[in-house]
Amino acid sequence: MTRLFNDPIQFADEMTAGFAAAASRWVQSAPGGVVRATEADEPTVAVVVGGGSGHYPAFGGLVGTGLAHGAAMGNLFASPSANQVYQIVGAVERGRGVLLSYGNYAGDVLHFDQAQERLRAEGIDVRTVVVTDDIWSAPKHEAHKRRGIAGDLAVFKVAGAAAEAGYDLDDVERVARHANARTRSFGVAFTGCTLPGAAEPLFTVPEGRMAVGLGIHGEPGIDEVDVPTADGLADLLVDALLEERPDGAELAGARVVPLLNGLGSVKYEELFVVYRRVHEALASRGITVVEPEVGELCTSFDMAGLSLTLLWLDEELEQLWAAPADAPGYRKGTVEARRRAPSVTAAAPDANVPAATAASRETALFLATALEAVADAVASAADELGRIDQIAGDGDHGIGMERGTRAAADAARAAVDAAAGARTTLQRAGDAWSDRAGGTSGAIWGEMLRALGRQLGDDERADGERVATGIVAARDAVMAFGKAQVGDKTMVDAIVPFSDRLAHLVSDGRPLLDAWGDAADAAQAAADATASLTATLGRARAHGDRSLGTPDPGAVSFALVCRTVHGVLAAQKEN
């Protein structure tokens, strides 16, 4: 279990600060994560990686010469926000374009894509290569849906070496895609990991059994089998990966890089015992092993487990894999000394608040009060939301909602104190929610608040009709943004009936308080009904029917927010 922490909500921030201080030879803190502490004489394509914290040396530990230029570091098991990615790119981009690379998780895709759109709008050439190496997370014919695990290192290393060698952006992107297409991984676990402050691990495995096909965010395995011997496990991993080898890759004469990755608490000695057999099994099939790596490459806190990755080489990939690299968590060969890079400082927050009417400022005050009540309600429910999420996910929904709602409430109160109207207040609250929560839900709630704010404006009174229109706009924005539909077992299952019911009742002339209460009941009923659904999107998708009987945590938290806001509306009327 994780024993050493202060406030669990501050764990990722404090960890990042300590890491940057300890690794100052290689990295420096920057808004959103870390960037290189040194720089080359000539600018290169910038490689920016990222993901949730809790996976060291991924992702900050892979920033350095010959590897990444910067890493956007999210909260525990939660993607960095779009703003974090944007800020890291801003700190390292030098005019030759940027490659973004990260594991293929829904929250990461949403946030990195948002940042990419914003950067492209500013004239910066940005490309993306998502890592999809985990063979167990989707069938071969849906390889584009597979998630990224320890194969991240192979792709990042190839891309970083290409940038270091002076490749242009087209070719850095090309070799990164090529490396991803030729990388396969497979993992197992004997126990789950425990997040800071949690009393129980995110999943458990019966004595003598092991979870097969796990992710790196504490998700339970997709299957469960008896624990084999070390040799038996090595054979299981090798056989599965060779069966999934890239199209056209022959065994005899192949040159392959094996990466045997410890997930957190499997000792190096155990890994070496397993690797002994991995090496033998590959050689027995006529495969030449090239510069293998054994150790902790992409972890999951204290998870007892391991994964095997195979990178199938060609001449170019082999040269790039063998190239020198010098980062806190990964070193190869010898690199030339570099000069110290200038310090990166955070931009001052925008102090300009658009003018707003008295009516809109009154609405903004209500919104700030409502968000504070929501933050309190979510804090009380965080443990239960986490428990629901860990059934088929990674268990971080509660802590993510707690971080996001508290940040949104603080931002809204600051906006109100600066005389902001409803639109500006919701814009800043949405940005703060997205920035602090990260993950899929952070991106979605940020988008909802911003969409609602655009409808309310800074100069109009927020009557029932305008509020209902804003909720419909928020619903439409979320469905377009996250691509979810009713029935996918996501927050959308509660958002749609809520927005539809609210719009219908308001159009019939019902007062906002009554209409909101009725719609909140509809949202709660819909959230409860998700217990009978099988997830078809997100991390829970890979676990099939495991979540049957348990409601979707995003839908449950949405219903909680709706009920809480109704309570604030009722209190306002009484006063």
Side-chain angles (χ1 to χ4, degrees):
M1 63 181 296
T2 305
R3 297 175 177 85
L4 301 177
F5 56 88
N6 298 308
D7 180 352
I9 291 181
Q10 299 300 322
F11 185 91
D13 292 337
E14 293 177 350
M15 178 276 298
T16 301
F19 163 64
S24 60
R25 180 166 81 82
W26 297 274
V27 302
Q28 60 172 309
S29 292
V34 295
V35 299
R36 291 185 188 179
T38 61
E39 62 182 7
D41 292 335
E42 297 297 327
T44 68
V45 171
V47 177
V48 172
V49 303
S53 297
H55 307 301
Y56 190 85
F59 294 91
L62 303 180
V63 172
T65 304
L67 259 164
H69 293 73
M73 299 171 65
N75 280 299
L76 301 181
F77 294 175
S79 65
S81 70
N83 190 50
Q84 287 180 278
V85 178
Y86 175 84
Q87 291 180 100
I88 291 297
V89 171
V92 301
E93 193 273 328
R94 295 292 182 270
R96 294 199 60 189
V98 180
L99 180 77
L100 304 177
S101 192
Y102 52 90
N104 188 31
Y105 294 86
D108 294 280
V109 172
L110 289 174
H111 285 289
F112 274 86
D113 279 358
Q114 272 190 320
Q116 178 174 266
E117 291 174 8
R118 182 177 174 187
L119 291 160
R120 285 178 173 175
E122 295 178 3
I124 298 173
D125 193 354
V126 182
R127 317 284 177 82
T128 291
V129 175
V130 294
V131 184
T132 56
D133 57 304
D134 181 12
I135 67 170
W136 209 258
S137 57
K140 195 170 185 177
H141 68 276
E142 292 184 323
H144 63 284
K145 294 183 178 179
R146 290 176 170 175
R147 58 196 173 191
I149 50 176
D152 285 353
L153 174 60
V155 177
F156 299 168
K157 174 64 175 67
V158 165
E164 200 72 37
Y167 284 32
D168 65 17
L169 183 56
D170 287 341
D171 280 334
V172 172
E173 179 187 15
R174 174 184 59 80
V175 295
R177 292 191 183 281
H178 186 46
N180 182 62
R182 297 181 69 83
T183 301
R184 304 286 188 275
S185 298
F186 181 27
V188 302
F190 312 106
T191 65
C193 58
T194 306
L195 293 173
E200 301 292 337
L202 293 177
F203 69 89
T204 58
V205 183
E207 187 71 24
R209 304 278 284 175
M210 71 178 183
V212 177
L214 61 118
I216 57 169
H217 297 93
E219 305 98 325
I222 296 168
D223 198 3
E224 193 178 281
V225 301
D226 289 339
V227 176
T229 63
D231 282 1
L233 176 55
D235 288 339
L236 171 68
L237 297 172
V238 170
D239 289 346
L241 291 175
L242 295 186
E243 183 68 24
E244 279 272 348
R245 63 186 182 274
D247 292 340
E250 299 296 332
L251 296 182
R255 298 175 67 80
V256 170
V257 176
L259 309 175
L260 188 62
N261 171 56
L263 283 160
S265 64
V266 173
K267 302 303 295 180
Y268 273 66
E269 289 83 352
E270 295 174 275
L271 293 174
F272 290 134
V273 171
V274 174
Y275 182 74
R276 164 193 148 274
R277 177 58 185 162
V278 168
H279 198 98
E280 291 174 352
L282 293 172
S284 70
R285 290 164 168 86
I287 295 171
T288 299
V289 170
V290 179
E291 297 193 23
E293 295 286 346
V294 178
E296 292 185 348
L297 308 171
C298 184
T299 59
S300 186
F301 264 107
D302 60 333
M303 185 185 290
L306 57 85
S307 63
L308 177 63
T309 299
L310 297 181
L311 167 61
W312 296 75
L313 298 172
D314 59 18
E315 184 177 349
E316 183 177 32
L317 289 179
E318 185 164 347
Q319 290 177 350
L320 294 170
W321 177 255
D326 186 29
Y330 185 84
R331 298 166 211 171
K332 181 190 288 286
T334 303
V335 301
E336 295 180 359
R338 298 283 176 86
R339 66 171 180 268
R340 200 76 184 171
S343 298
V344 178
T345 57
D350 185 7
N352 296 320
V353 173
T357 63
S360 187
R361 292 198 300 273
E362 183 178 342
T363 299
L365 177 60
F366 169 82
L367 292 168
T369 302
L371 284 169
E372 288 165 347
V374 165
D376 291 341
V378 166
S380 297
D383 288 346
E384 176 61 11
L385 292 173
R387 185 196 68 79
I388 295 171
D389 188 37
Q390 77 181 53
I391 301 298
D394 57 16
D396 70 341
H397 184 71
I399 195 170
M401 285 290 293
E402 189 173 5
R403 286 191 299 252
T405 54
R406 182 57 60 193
D410 291 346
R413 180 58 60 182
V416 167
D417 290 346
R423 175 176 181 163
T424 300
T425 296
L426 285 175
Q427 173 72 50
R428 297 191 175 191
D431 289 347
W433 191 324
S434 177
D435 208 29
R436 286 297 296 161
T440 306
S441 68
I444 287 174
W445 275 102
E447 192 68 15
M448 281 199 294
L449 293 188
R450 288 187 288 265
L452 176 59
R454 287 191 290 271
Q455 292 297 319
L456 296 184
D458 280 335
D459 54 4
E460 300 286 345
R461 181 173 297 279
D463 57 17
E465 183 176 351
R466 188 174 290 276
V467 169
T469 300
I471 295 296
V472 170
R475 175 204 68 194
D476 293 344
V478 167
M479 294 180 73
F481 185 57
K483 313 301 182 189
Q485 302 292 323
V486 171
D488 286 334
K489 196 166 187 171
T490 69
M491 192 193 307
V492 166
D493 288 297
I495 294 173
V496 169
F498 175 80
S499 62
D500 289 352
R501 186 67 177 159
L502 182 68
H504 172 71
L505 293 175
V506 168
S507 68
D508 278 355
R510 290 275 292 277
L512 179 60
L513 173 62
D514 294 345
W516 191 284
D518 197 318
D521 290 341
Q524 185 63 62
D528 293 341
T530 61
S532 64
L533 299 177
T534 297
T536 60
L537 287 177
R539 293 176 190 165
R541 171 189 57 81
H543 296 282
D545 293 340
R546 186 187 293 270
S547 66
L548 278 175
T550 303
D552 175 70
V556 170
S557 59
F558 179 83
L560 172 63
V561 171
C562 293
R563 295 197 316 273
T564 303
V565 172
H566 181 249
V568 179
L569 281 168
Q572 181 189 56
K573 183 176 181 180
E574 291 176 0
N575 295 330

